[in-house]
Amino acid sequence: MSIQSASLLSAIALFTTLSLGCSESPSVGTVAGTVSLNGKPYADAAVMFLDSTTGQAAGTDIQAGGEFSLKDPIPTGTYSVYLAPKTVPMTEGSPEAVKIDEAVPEKYWNEATTDVQAVVNEGENSVTIELMKS
């Protein structure tokens, strides 16, 4: 192999390697909002976002007054929104049982059965999640 051929192959390999690291990052949005149950603020759970097409998920505990804010931006898209038990701090001794608020319809506790969706656009997103007892 000539020196020119080796140099050309090295340059191609370097360019290919650098090109792989230069892919565009997906557009993202921040998400904050409120959760209500039958029109009243609800705070006895965590709120979860799941994009079933990409598997992207994020969640956070709901605060007093039904307010929440995801810690990090998430990729834009359509997310199924459902509830999960609040984060329980680890303590010494036996673990506490996970509690699900039975006042909330069961469909809201599962990503496969929830009918709540949120569209996350680039930039700031304010999401109002209204849960209804049937």
Side-chain angles (χ1 to χ4, degrees), residues 6 11 19-20 25 34 37 46 49 58 61 65 84-85 87 89 101 106 111:
S19 295
L20 292 175
S25 58
T34 59
L37 176 62
F49 288 73
D61 286 345
T87 305
D101 184 355
E106 189 175 329
E111 71 274 7

Side-chain angles (χ1 to χ4, degrees), residues 5-123:
S5 296
S7 296
L8 180 60
L9 286 176
S10 294
I12 291 172
L14 178 63
F15 178 74
T16 303
T17 303
L18 292 175
S19 295
L20 292 175
C22 294
S23 62
E24 282 190 39
S25 58
S27 57
V28 296
T30 58
V31 180
T34 59
V35 179
S36 66
L37 176 62
N38 293 330
K40 296 180 181 172
Y42 183 77
D44 199 21
V47 62
M48 308 299 293
F49 288 73
L50 173 67
D51 184 335
S52 61
T53 59
T54 65
Q56 177 69 41
T60 190
D61 286 345
I62 305 167
Q63 304 302 311
E67 296 179 358
F68 72 91
S69 179
L70 295 179
K71 180 181 175 184
D72 297 314
I74 58 176
T76 58
T78 301
Y79 289 79
S80 294
V81 180
Y82 62 99
L83 301 178
K86 273 194 169 190
T87 305
V88 178
M90 294 297 288
T91 58
E92 288 188 33
S94 300
E96 287 188 41
V98 173
K99 297 175 186 162
I100 293 177
D101 184 355
E102 293 181 11
V104 177
E106 189 175 329
K107 71 179 180 178
Y108 296 124
W109 293 99
N110 188 317
E111 71 274 7
T113 58
T114 185
D115 58 0
V116 179
Q117 292 199 329
V119 175
V120 176
N121 295 306
E122 193 168 353

